[in-house]
Amino acid sequence: MPAGTCGIGQLGGVPGLDGAGRVAVVLAGGLEAGAGARLRAELRGRGHALGASGADAEVVAHLVAEAFSSCGELVEAVRQVRGALAGEFAVLAVHADEPDTVVGAGGGPPLVVSAGDGEVRVASGAGVPGAGDGESAVLGSEQVVLVRREFDEVRWEITDGRGAVVAP
């Protein structure tokens, strides 16, 4: 991944990467067992080389990379993949071609967005550590958050499953 001004992390876990190492995904929760196995088989059938662990985050990273190659935008790729996933999860993704962008989507554990002091944080759970006293929002299960650094500002927006802006 090239240097950027945005990043993702996960306590006690390792981000999942696509085969080219251009997409990184962290996942809180997991995919439904049957859905995860089906997606792994479909990806392998399309020529994706998945690691031996077959971790859900890796599966999602491969799916996001595949969708990105068709649509060319990380937010749209995550939106498409989110619609195809089943389970109780929250996902954050980055792509090497958009180093100043983080995209998140929920399907169970809440994703909380908090903005203030020139930064935006997205976390799974009830609180976002270290965020300022500015705006905050909780994503619904069908919503996607886009966080992007543009010049000297960090902007964010939450969209619904069709891409219509619902916040801020």
Side-chain angles (χ1 to χ4, degrees), residues 9-166:
Q10 180 175 5
L11 295 176
V14 176
L17 300 174
D18 74 311
R22 299 191 57 76
V23 174
V25 166
V26 293
L27 192 68
L31 304 178
E32 287 182 357
R38 178 184 51 78
L39 290 169
R40 280 187 279 284
E42 288 175 7
L43 284 166
R44 286 188 175 114
R46 292 194 298 266
H48 290 262
L50 297 172
S53 73
D56 288 348
E58 181 185 17
V59 169
V60 174
H62 278 260
L63 292 169
V64 169
E66 201 172 68
F68 186 90
S69 69
S70 297
C71 69
E73 290 186 354
L74 182 58
V75 68
E76 181 57 29
V78 171
R79 185 177 292 109
Q80 289 175 16
V81 169
R82 165 62 198 97
L85 300 178
E88 293 288 319
F89 61 87
V91 62
L92 292 175
V94 294
H95 193 291
D97 290 352
E98 296 185 26
D100 293 328
T101 301
V102 175
V103 177
L111 273 179
V112 180
V113 182
S114 180
D117 299 329
E119 64 186 18
V120 176
R121 295 178 184 254
V122 182
S124 176
V128 181
D133 293 330
E135 299 176 89
S136 65
V138 178
L139 265 70
S141 65
E142 300 297 322
Q143 295 177 333
V144 174
V145 61
L146 167 66
V147 178
R148 179 173 286 145
R149 180 162 194 86
E150 297 175 351
F151 304 105
D152 62 345
E153 291 184 340
V154 180
R155 299 180 182 271
W156 64 280
E157 67 181 21
I158 297 174
T159 58
D160 63 17
R162 296 179 318 280
V165 176
V166 296

